[in-house]
């Protein structure tokens, strides 16, 4: 009625008011203007109608308009001024007559709200009539008509008139079945779309296309059950629009492509191509066909056949009515939309593809019957448009590639298989075109394979992806450039798979690339060389296939040959390495990836694989290291030392022990070999790191690693010592000193038992108390742990007895106790001390020299030889001559500190008994005899060697002072020994001491003999072995001669003379 008209009038007024006063008004929105306009009309009625007795006050008017401005109030002064204005003069139009309501009542007042509203409506009606009269009067006025003179004039005219046009055409199409009327309406809509397209007026264009799409009845809820000839004509018009205005349709493509998708389904049903849908059969999950008599398939629901039951007669009539949609002309016209996509411009084709992908997504949403019509069309248009310029094609593929990413991961395997196979076909065609250097488009094109491989867990699809890539490699290797990155990425993902066929095929293809393709097309593959090595590393790390792992490591070794043979190819390759100097490119892109991935294999894999990786890694270094720059070595050894860092991570104790025994041990020797081989280059950059790593090794609670650390130190120094500078020798000595200081097991002397549990270990207390300090039953700590290097059981070896192997099982059960852990650590420190003593001896005098000397001393004493000058051939091979006197004195201090510690421990019978009872348990109490004797022997050899060295005359005084103190202290200690076993251990030491003193000149002999004479007299009362007695006899005879106490026989004189002459 009239009220609705006024309502629309107010609404339009409010909208126009806001449009004309943008930014110049108090109103937050058109809603405010609309409500206020109404309130003004009501106020006018209220204040100026004689029938309203109780007039609205200003306060009431302000209150009525509270919160109308987007939940806020308009200013009171503003509302107040409106009230005043309306109160002063009512709003009235010309020729308005006052209307009154005739009432039977004589009273003229209106008291209730209902009557007030009635009055208001009458007022509105009157205003409407007046407005209508005015408009009719104006319509007959003659006004000048302006003719459009320019094309652009069409735009504002169309913008003004498009709505009524659309309404007219829509009503005509909807209400009239006359063919001619429908044809005119469709032509009108087509022309309107054309105008909107030409002037790029999006809103109007979209409205007309939506209207056209709605009249096809393909996408609306009423469905195709009501389809008539005019709807078929609408479909044809829509197809015509797609042909003629494709470049301008933009987002309207969505509606058109939705209709075409539904049209295809209508065609299938119309021609009976989908009998299983008609008969209501639905393919079950397992692939079996299950009948559903009364259930409508998804397609019918999509086409508007909604409802519980299906009327099969109705379906038959539908098939008849939509049969024309399958006519040749329609089918060809639809195909032309897709084949004609090549004529679309760069922006239009992107819109077309984007909305085709959107429609495809909708088609695939059905869980039971996903349709692939649009997906097929996507593949087709990809073929048609592949010849476009790269700039356009890359934009198209950005959309299509993303769609393939989603479709390839579709839970329906059939859909995913179709997607992957389509991708394969497109890729093969695309790769045929080849690629120029430094382009990346192949990489973008092949990325969906990578995405599908990463996201789709279906073995079938993963296998298919690998097969597709393998086929590409076999047929298109010559044309692939940037695509190699994706190929290796797919194989990298396949490498960690647990499915044997996937891993096998991927590895075979990778092997073919590395051995054959690289050989032929190496420059084209350099960009992805790192990816190839990384991929091989991933194969090596798949624990499920050990044979593949070993072969992968062999192929990495093969890659090293390419780098060695083709360094120029790396230097010339620029790409994204602009910041890398040309001479470093072969390192950054070639050597480093190989060595880095081998280190990853070492850190990630099980023992056999990581051992192979370690071997190959150092083989590569030894074979090609001569080509490495100095700063490359620094980078390389950061990786190498990560092998040891692995131990700083928390791990199971057994794994940690195995790692140390095998990998760390192996790596340590290999590092030292490489260091020796390239000493000239590495001494500056690596020596400190090597020493600190060796130091780290002896700090670990692992006997074999500790032994290896000292052995490697010995090897490095003996093999390279001749090239050492004074500074390097200082560092070497400092390293040995640090190891000595940190591995003296002080706790052996201070440890105290924590509880009474040790009583259980105490079997025959009274008997043990009778044992001497170091008796035959006591056992040397070092002997108890002398296991062969390479014996993996050493980490459980906490037992100090000579019957260690019998005790292993008992000790394993107690390794968790803190005491046993402490004892194990102490034991290893003892081992390191002894190893270090032997290392110093080997470094200074060359390995086994001292043993030979001891043997010859003993042999000479046995035959009471005339010539005591023992010659050892290898003597000068040691590093003695390269060490300064100060450095030798430092080493000497360490040796003597070690000797004194061992003496203190061996003399502390009570402490040794306590340790033995607590679990330092062999046949008897532990001792440190070897450490005690070997440290002193080494010290004496150094001092005596310096004593007769003509090049060290400056140090002779210090040497003599030290010798006298050390020897007299040693002899004094020997006299205190009560155990025969302990004295026997000193036999070689005394032989060495006496033989060395006998060799010095008479003048020096005099000083020494006077110091030792009383002590040697005491020694004679012991039961000494014959060899020692023979040397003592010679000593006393020499005293007689030197101090002129006796006249020596000729033989003795001859001997003395020869001795002096030998000096």
């Amino acid at each position: 009625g009239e009220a609705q008209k006024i309502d629309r009038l107010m609404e339009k007024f409010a909208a126009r008011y806001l449009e004309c006063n943008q930014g110049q008004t108090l109103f937050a929105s058109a809603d405010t203007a609309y409500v206020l306009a109404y309130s003004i009309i009501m106020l006018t009625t209220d204040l100026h109608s004689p029938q309203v007795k109780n007039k609205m006050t200003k306060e009431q008017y302000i209150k009525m308009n509270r919160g109308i401005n987007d939940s806020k109030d308009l200013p009171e002064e503003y509302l107040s001024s409106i009230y005043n204005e309306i109160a002063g003069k009512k709003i009235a139009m010309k020729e308005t007559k006052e209307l009154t309501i005739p009432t039977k009542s004589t009273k003229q007042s209106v008291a209730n709200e209902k009557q007030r509203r009635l009055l208001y409506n009458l007022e509105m009606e009157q205003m409407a009539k007046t407005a209508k009269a005015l408009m009719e009067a104006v319509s007959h006025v003659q006004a000048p008509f302006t003719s459009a003179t320019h094309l652009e004039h069409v735009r504002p005219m169309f913008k003004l008139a498009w709505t009524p046009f659309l309404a007219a055409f829509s009503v005509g199409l909807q209400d009239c079945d006359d063919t001619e009327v429908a044809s005119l309406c469709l032509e009108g809509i087509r022309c309107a779309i054309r105008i909107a397209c030409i002037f790029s007026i999006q809103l109007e264009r979209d409205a007309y296309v939506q209207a056209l799409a709605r009249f096809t009845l393909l996408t609306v809820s009423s469905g195709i059950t009501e389809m008539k000839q005019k709807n078929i004509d609408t479909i044809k018009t829509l197809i015509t629009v797609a042909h003629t205005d494709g470049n301008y349709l933009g987002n309207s493509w969505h509606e058109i492509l939705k209709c075409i998708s539904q049209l295809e389904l209508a065609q299938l049903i119309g021609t009976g191509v989908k009998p299983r849908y008609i008969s209501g059969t639905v393919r079950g999950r397992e692939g079996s066909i299950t009948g559903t008599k009364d259930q409508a398939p998804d397609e019918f629901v999509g086409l508007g056949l909604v409802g519980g039951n299906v009327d099969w007669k109705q379906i038959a009539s539908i098939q008849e009515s939509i049969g024309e949609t399958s006519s040749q002309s329609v089918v060809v016209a639809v195909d032309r939309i897709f084949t004609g996509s090549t004529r679309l411009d760069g922006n239009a084709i992107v819109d077309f593809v984007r909305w085709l992908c959107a429609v495809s997504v909708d088609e695939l949403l059905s869980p039971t019957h996903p349709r692939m019509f649009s997906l097929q069309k996507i593949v087709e248009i990809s073929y048609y448009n592949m010849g476009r310029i790269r700039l356009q094609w890359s934009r198209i593929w950005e959309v299509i590639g993303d769609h393939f990413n989603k479709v390839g991961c579709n839970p329906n395997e059939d859909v995913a298989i179709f997607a992957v196979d389509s991708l394969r076909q497109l890729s093969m065609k695309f790769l045929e075109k080849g690629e120029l250097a430094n382009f990346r488009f192949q990489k973008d094109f092949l990325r969906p394979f990578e995405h599908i491989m990463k996201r789709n867990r279906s073995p079938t699809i993963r296998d298919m992806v690998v097969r597709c890539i393998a086929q590409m490699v076999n047929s298109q290797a010559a044309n692939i450039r940037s695509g190699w990155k994706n190929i290796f990425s797919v194989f990298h993902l396949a490498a960690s798979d647990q499915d044997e066929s996937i891993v096998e095929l991927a590895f075979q293809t990778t092997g073919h690339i590395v051995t054959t393709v690289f050989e032929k097309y190496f420059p084209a593959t350099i960009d992805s060389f790192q990816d190839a090595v990384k991929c091989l590393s991933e194969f090596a790390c798949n624990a499920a296939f050990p044979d593949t792992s070993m072969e992968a490591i062999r192929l990495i070794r093969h890659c090293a040959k390419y780098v060695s043979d083709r360094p120029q190819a790396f230097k010339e390759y620029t790409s994204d390495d602009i910041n890398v100097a040309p001479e470093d490119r072969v390192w950054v892109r070639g050597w480093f990836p190989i060595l880095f991935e081998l280190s990853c294999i070492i850190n990630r894999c099980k023992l056999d694989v990581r051992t192979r990786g370690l071997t190959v890694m150092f083989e590569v270094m030894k074979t090609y290291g001569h080509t490495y720059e100095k700063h490359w070595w620094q980078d390389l050894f950061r990786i190498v030392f990560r092998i040891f860092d692995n131990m700083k991570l928390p791990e199971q104790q057994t794994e940690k022990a195995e790692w140390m025994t095998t990998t760390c041990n192996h790596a340590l020797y290999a590092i030292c070999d490489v260091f020796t081989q390239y000493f000239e280059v590495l001494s500056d950059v690596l020596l400190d790191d090597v020493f600190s790593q060796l130091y780290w090794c002896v700090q670990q609670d692992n006997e074999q690693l500790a032994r290896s650390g000292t052995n490697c130190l010995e090897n490095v120094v003996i093999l390279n010592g001749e090239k050492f500078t004074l500074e390097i020798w200082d560092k070497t000595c400092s390293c040995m000193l640090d190891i000595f200081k940190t591995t003296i097991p002080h706790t052996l002397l201070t440890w105290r038992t924590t509880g009474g549990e040790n009583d259980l270990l105490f079997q025959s207390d009274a008997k043990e108390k009778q044992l001497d300090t170091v008796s035959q039953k006591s056992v040397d700590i070092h002997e108890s742990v002398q296991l062969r290097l390479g014996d993996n059981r050493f980490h459980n070896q906490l037992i100090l007895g000579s019957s260690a192997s019998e005790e292993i099982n008992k000790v394993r059960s107690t390794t968790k106790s803190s005491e046993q852990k402490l004892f194990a650590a102490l034991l290893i420190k003892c081992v390191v001390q002894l190893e270090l003593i032997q290392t110093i001896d080997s470094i200074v005098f060359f390995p086994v020299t001292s043993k030979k000397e001891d043997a010859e001393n003993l042999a000479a004493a046995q035959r009471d030889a005339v010539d005591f000058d023992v010659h050892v051939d290898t003597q000068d091979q040691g590093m003695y001559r390269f060490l300064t006197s100060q450095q030798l004195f430092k080493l000497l201090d360490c040796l003597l500190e070690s000797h004194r510690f061992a003496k203190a421990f061996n003399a502390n019978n009570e402490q040794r008994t306590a340790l033995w009872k607590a679990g330092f348990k062999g046949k008897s109490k532990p001792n440190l005899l070897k450490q005690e004797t070997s440290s002193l022997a080494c010290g004496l050899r150094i001092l005596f060697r310096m004593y007769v060295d003509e090049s060290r005359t400056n140090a002779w005084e210090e040497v003599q002072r030290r010798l006298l103190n050390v020897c007299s202290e040693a002899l004094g200690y020997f006299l205190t020994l009560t155990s025969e076993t302990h004295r026997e251990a000193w036999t070689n030491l005394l032989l060495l001491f006496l033989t060395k003193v006998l060799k010095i000149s008479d003048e020096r002999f005099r000083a020494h003999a006077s110091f030792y004479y009383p002590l040697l007299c005491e020694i004679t009362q012991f039961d000494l072995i014959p060899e020692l007695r023979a040397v003592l006899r010679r000593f006393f005879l020499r005293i007689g001669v030197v101090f002129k106490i006796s006249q020596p026989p000729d033989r003795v004189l001859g001997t003395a003379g020869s001795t002096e002459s030998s000096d």
Side-chain angles (χ1 to χ4, degrees), residues 310-325:
V310 178
D311 182 343
W312 301 107
K313 284 182 184 176
Q314 185 195 18
I315 287 176
S317 70
I318 291 164
Q319 285 181 296
E320 192 179 338
S321 69
I322 63 176
E324 199 182 331
T325 61

Side-chain angles (χ1 to χ4, degrees), residues 109 137 168 227 250 307 342 348 366 394 449 460 515 563 589 599 617 662 669 703 729 732 778 835 1027 1063:
S109 62
M227 192 170 274
T342 51
S366 165
S394 61
F449 285 111
T460 310
T515 53
V563 184
R589 283 197 164 273
S599 80
M617 182 180 182
T662 55
Y669 282 102
E703 183 191 341
W729 273 115
T732 309
S778 74
E835 287 285 332
E1027 292 83 356
D1063 294 328

Side-chain angles (χ1 to χ4, degrees), residues 236-488:
K236 291 177 180 176
T237 305
L238 192 69
I239 293 169
T240 306
V241 167
H243 281 305
T244 56
D245 300 309
N247 277 334
Y248 313 105
L249 286 172
N251 293 338
S252 294
W253 273 116
H254 192 197
E255 293 294 333
I256 295 172
L257 292 167
K258 259 201 302 191
C259 287
I260 289 171
S261 169
Q262 291 295 74
L263 176 62
E264 187 261 353
L265 182 55
Q267 288 169 347
L268 290 176
I269 294 170
T271 54
V273 171
K274 290 200 172 181
R276 75 167 188 271
Y277 297 154
I278 300 300
S279 62
T281 54
V282 179
R283 187 170 291 277
R285 269 194 172 176
E286 308 306 319
S288 61
I289 303 294
T290 55
T292 51
K293 265 189 180 175
D294 296 329
Q295 185 183 340
D298 292 356
E299 280 68 17
F300 293 142
V301 175
L303 289 165
L305 299 178
V306 189
N309 296 330
V310 178
D311 182 343
W312 301 107
K313 284 182 184 176
Q314 185 195 18
I315 287 176
S317 70
I318 291 164
Q319 285 181 296
E320 192 179 338
S321 69
I322 63 176
E324 199 182 331
T325 61
S326 307
S327 66
Q328 188 66 22
S329 60
V330 173
V331 172
V332 169
V334 168
D335 278 345
R336 276 178 55 215
I337 292 176
F338 297 102
T339 54
S341 63
T342 51
R343 294 194 299 275
L344 295 175
D345 66 31
N347 292 325
I349 186 67
V350 174
D351 287 329
F352 178 70
V353 165
R354 186 171 72 250
W355 291 114
L356 185 56
C357 289
V359 172
S360 175
V361 168
D362 292 339
E363 285 181 359
L364 295 167
L365 282 177
S366 165
T368 49
H369 298 302
R371 290 171 54 231
M372 291 189 272
F373 169 73
S374 296
L375 186 57
Q376 285 170 323
K377 293 302 174 189
I378 289 167
V379 177
E380 285 175 28
I381 63 163
S382 298
Y383 271 114
Y384 301 147
N385 289 277
M386 212 175 271
R388 283 179 179 266
I389 61 169
R390 291 292 164 96
L391 199 64
Q392 289 179 1
W393 177 234
S394 61
R395 289 178 65 205
I396 295 169
W397 189 252
E398 194 177 334
V399 178
I400 295 178
D402 188 51
H403 185 58
F404 272 119
N405 286 348
K406 293 171 189 161
V407 180
C409 297
N410 194 295
N412 185 313
E413 226 165 63
D414 292 340
V415 174
I417 287 171
F418 180 82
V420 174
D421 191 54
S422 302
L423 259 178
R424 177 190 61 78
Q425 293 172 43
L426 288 172
S427 302
M428 295 292 267
K429 183 171 171 60
F430 184 77
L431 290 173
E432 283 171 12
K433 299 168 73 174
E435 184 180 61
L436 295 172
N438 297 324
F439 280 87
R440 291 285 174 276
F441 198 65
Q442 285 182 355
K443 187 174 160 189
D444 296 336
F445 195 94
L446 297 176
R447 195 168 281 135
F449 285 111
E450 207 178 316
H451 182 92
I452 294 166
M453 194 71 185
K454 197 178 288 181
R455 302 290 167 86
N456 198 325
R457 303 315 302 168
S458 159
T460 310
I461 303 302
R462 292 169 71 79
D463 184 76
M464 190 175 178
V465 170
V466 172
R467 287 182 191 285
C468 291
I469 295 287
Q471 188 188 350
M472 270 179 240
V473 170
N474 292 328
S475 62
Q476 297 292 337
N479 293 327
I480 302 173
R481 281 184 175 267
S482 65
W484 286 118
K485 275 191 176 294
N486 311 83
I487 289 169
F488 286 123

Side-chain angles (χ1 to χ4, degrees), residues 892-906:
L892 198 63
D893 290 338
C894 286
L895 290 166
L896 294 175
E897 187 180 350
S898 184
H899 167 70
R900 290 190 189 104
F901 175 81
K903 260 194 335 189
F905 180 73
N906 291 335

